[in-house]
């Protein structure tokens, strides 16, 4: 490998060729790759090298010589500092094209497929791509004797105070700000990271967009929460839609939000949300899609891909609270799901019972362990749906899928790189019919997709 021609602090001109998986512009200087946050495809920029690695360079924009016609002014006042969104400076229709291109890039990089063999469809977007997130997790810190809530800046542990996050549902912002002000007024101790002291670390708010129910979770550094009663009463009086108040204890020095122990403080233990016509009960730590209106479109795409006749046995791997499996149960013979979080499985089975669905069962455990056990016991699925976390499927699960001879596999992905890696393995026995990208998180570099694979005859 030749040496990187760039030196630290060097300034040089660059033409941006495409946008990468983190929303950064990608260009080439003397055939060496350069990543530039905030730069757009087609732009001619002057950049300064901020980090030089043997194989690539990270750089920042010093000047834009030729601007993209799709560049817009980001409406968020803390856009540059926060780092929660990466693409507010790109017009929304172009974001959708770019997200399709992320899947193209992943297929080129991680597979041996020829692109013309694979039908990658246009990205399904949102009519109104703002205010869509139904859950917020804002850190609480004291800055200059004032209690602030916000997010840590990109690549830093400095809190960026946020008064109004425009991709969050307005209810989550309202509750967070109210609780922040009450913590200050009641002088409840705020977590201090350096000394690992203080109490309140994070305010988590989840709203049922269709039901209007709101859950508040206070993540604390200890079980004790001073002036708890007063705080609860004030919240319930001021925002009666907050029907569930929980406390989660996390004493670890970690960036992971939740600890293992959750305590019920007031109201219900769970809130209810609806997807299509099915109601879901959500406990504090249960995973649930953050953008319900796009989730409904996603499940419509899954249902379209599956084409059920009523006789199929379906596996819903990485099932969470059972959302995908339950949405298909009425059109199938049997649904079985598994997930590693026990609370999610409890919720999934409760959700099935509540909806009167008797042909769906959910089990706690790792997909790669539970699935082979079912197969061994004689269960033969026709359709396997996988919706794995960003790391993709365990290879042992893929090997089990290849052995089953299931007629079709539907792969719901939130990470094009691991999707590409996994479908390359599945292609031994399956044809890739199409990949349908969907924008679950407008203004960020994330892209969700549904891939239909059918057994080779």
């Amino acid at each position: 490998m030749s040496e990187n021609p760039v030196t630290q602090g060097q300034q040089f001109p660059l033409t941006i060729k495409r946008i990468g998986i983190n929303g950064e512009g990608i260009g080439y200087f003397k055939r060496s790759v350069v990543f530039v946050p905030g730069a757009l495809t087609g732009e001619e920029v002057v950049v300064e090298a901020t980090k030089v690695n043997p194989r690539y360079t990270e750089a920042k924009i010093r000047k834009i010589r030729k601007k993209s016609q799709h560049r817009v002014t980001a409406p968020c006042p803390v856009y540059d500092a926060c780092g929660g969104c990466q693409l507010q400076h790109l017009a929304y229709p172009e974001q959708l094209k770019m997200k399709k291109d992320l899947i193209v890039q992943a297929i080129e990089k991680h597979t041996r497929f020829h692109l013309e063999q694979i039908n990658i469809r246009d990205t399904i977007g949102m009519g109104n791509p703002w205010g869509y997130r139904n859950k917020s997790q804002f850190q609480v810190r004291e800055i200059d004797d004032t209690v602030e809530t916000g997010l840590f800046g990109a690549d830093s542990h400095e809190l960026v105070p946020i008064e109004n996050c425009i991709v969050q549902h307005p209810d989550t912002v309202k509750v967070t700000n109210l609780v922040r002000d009450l913590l200050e007024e009641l002088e409840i101790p705020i977590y201090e990271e350096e000394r690992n002291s203080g109490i309140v670390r994070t305010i988590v708010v989840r709203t049922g967009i269709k039901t209007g129910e709101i859950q508040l979770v206070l993540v604390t550094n200890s079980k004790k929460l001073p002036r708890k009663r007063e705080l609860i009463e004030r919240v319930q009086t001021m925002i009666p839609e907050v029907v569930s108040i929980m406390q989660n204890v996390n004493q670890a020095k970690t960036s992971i939000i939740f600890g293992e122990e959750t305590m019920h403080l007031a109201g219900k233990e769970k809130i209810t949300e609806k997807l299509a016509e099915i109601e879901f009960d959500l406990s504090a730590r249960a995973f649930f899609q953050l953008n319900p209106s796009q989730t409904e479109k996603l499940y419509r795409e899954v249902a379209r891909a599956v084409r059920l006749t009523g006789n199929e046995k379906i596996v819903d791997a990485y099932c969470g609270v059972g959302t995908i499996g339950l949405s298909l149960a009425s059109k199938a013979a049997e649904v079985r799901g598994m997930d590693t979080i026990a609370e999610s499985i409890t919720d999934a089975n409760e959700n099935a019972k509540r909806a009167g669905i008797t042909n769906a069962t959910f089990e706690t455990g790792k997909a790669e362990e539970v699935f082979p056990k079912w197969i061994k016991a004689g269960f033969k699925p026709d359709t396997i749906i996988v919706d794995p976390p960003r790391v993709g499927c365990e290879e042992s699960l893929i090997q089990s899928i290849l052995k089953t001879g299931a007629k079709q596999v539907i792969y719901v992905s939130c990470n094009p790189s691991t999707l590409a890696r996994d479908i390359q393995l599945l292609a031994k026995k399956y044809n890739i019919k199409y990949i349908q990208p969907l924008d679950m998180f407008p203004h960020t570099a994330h892209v969700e997709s549904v891939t239909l694979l059918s057994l080779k005859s």
Side-chain angles (χ1 to χ4, degrees), residues 22-307:
N22 300 311
E24 75 285 34
I26 299 177
Y28 297 88
F29 180 71
K30 297 184 179 170
R31 297 171 74 177
S32 171
V33 68
V34 184
F35 298 114
V36 189
L40 297 176
T41 307
E43 290 190 327
E44 292 171 14
V45 291
V46 177
V47 301
E48 180 183 323
T50 53
K51 202 174 184 181
V52 179
N53 285 311
R55 295 178 58 188
Y56 65 90
T57 301
E58 291 175 27
K60 62 180 180 189
I61 299 174
R62 296 299 305 207
K63 188 178 174 198
I64 301 178
R65 282 185 174 161
K66 183 183 160 212
K67 205 178 186 173
S68 163
Q69 70 206 65
H70 305 300
R71 180 175 280 280
V72 294
T73 304
C76 171
V78 293
Y79 174 57
D80 293 328
C82 163
C85 298
Q86 300 83 42
L87 295 173
Q88 284 191 19
H89 60 292
L90 178 60
Y92 188 61
E94 289 303 308
Q95 290 184 28
L96 299 179
K97 287 182 190 167
M98 171 240 144
K99 293 190 181 197
K100 176 180 177 177
D101 186 57
L102 288 182
I103 293 176
V104 170
Q105 287 181 52
I107 297 289
E108 285 175 340
K109 188 175 174 185
H110 300 287
T111 77
R112 294 185 295 280
F113 301 129
H114 293 296
L115 273 171
E116 58 276 8
Q117 297 173 308
I118 296 183
N119 172 11
I120 303 175
R121 296 175 170 178
D122 290 340
T123 311
I124 297 170
M126 288 190 84
N128 170 21
W130 302 101
Y132 58 83
R133 289 181 71 102
N134 62 357
K135 181 182 180 185
S136 61
Q137 304 184 137
F138 277 22
Q139 305 295 337
V140 191
R141 296 293 184 271
E142 214 164 305
I143 301 172
D144 302 330
D145 296 331
T146 303
V147 178
E148 298 281 11
T149 47
L151 298 171
F152 292 129
D155 306 323
S156 89
H157 237 52
E158 290 294 305
L159 189 82
V160 177
I162 297 172
E163 190 59 37
N164 178 25
C165 178
I166 52 182
V167 293
Q168 283 293 148
H169 189 281
D171 283 352
T172 66
V173 175
K174 180 170 88 172
V175 175
T176 303
N177 290 351
L178 171 86
V179 174
R180 173 200 66 197
D181 295 347
L182 286 173
L183 292 172
E184 178 152 40
E185 196 185 314
L186 297 170
E187 295 179 350
I188 294 169
I190 303 304
Y191 180 60
E192 212 280 317
E193 207 164 356
E194 289 298 299
R195 295 199 295 274
N196 197 20
S197 63
I199 308 274
V200 181
R201 294 171 71 127
T202 313
I203 297 170
V204 181
V205 182
R206 174 146 59 185
T207 178
I209 289 181
K210 285 198 177 163
T211 59
E213 294 189 347
I214 299 173
Q215 181 176 62
L216 164 66
V217 186
L218 295 167
V219 181
T220 57
N221 191 34
S222 78
K223 281 189 183 181
K224 65 172 195 282
L225 179 57
R227 309 194 71 177
K228 181 162 62 185
R229 280 265 57 90
E230 283 167 88
L231 179 65
I232 291 168
E233 280 163 16
R234 296 284 291 279
V235 170
Q236 287 177 320
T237 309
M238 294 166 91
I239 308 183
E241 307 92 276
V242 177
V243 297
S244 169
I245 304 178
M246 309 293 286
Q247 180 183 353
N248 175 273
V249 183
N250 184 0
Q251 295 176 306
K253 269 203 147 189
T254 172
S255 57
I256 293 165
I257 301 283
F258 286 118
E260 289 301 314
E261 188 181 8
T262 306
M263 298 175 314
H264 175 220
L265 298 185
K268 306 197 291 184
E269 288 209 21
K270 301 173 183 182
I271 61 166
T272 305
E273 178 59 309
K274 259 179 152 173
L275 270 184
E277 288 316 301
I278 299 174
E279 287 194 338
F280 292 92
D281 270 351
L282 305 177
S283 54
R285 285 179 62 211
F287 172 77
F288 191 72
Q289 297 286 4
L290 290 164
N291 183 343
S293 65
Q294 285 298 87
T295 300
E296 289 189 344
K297 289 184 195 171
L298 180 77
Y299 294 171
R300 263 204 301 280
E301 288 306 316
V302 171
R304 257 182 213 147
V306 177
R307 293 213 175 112

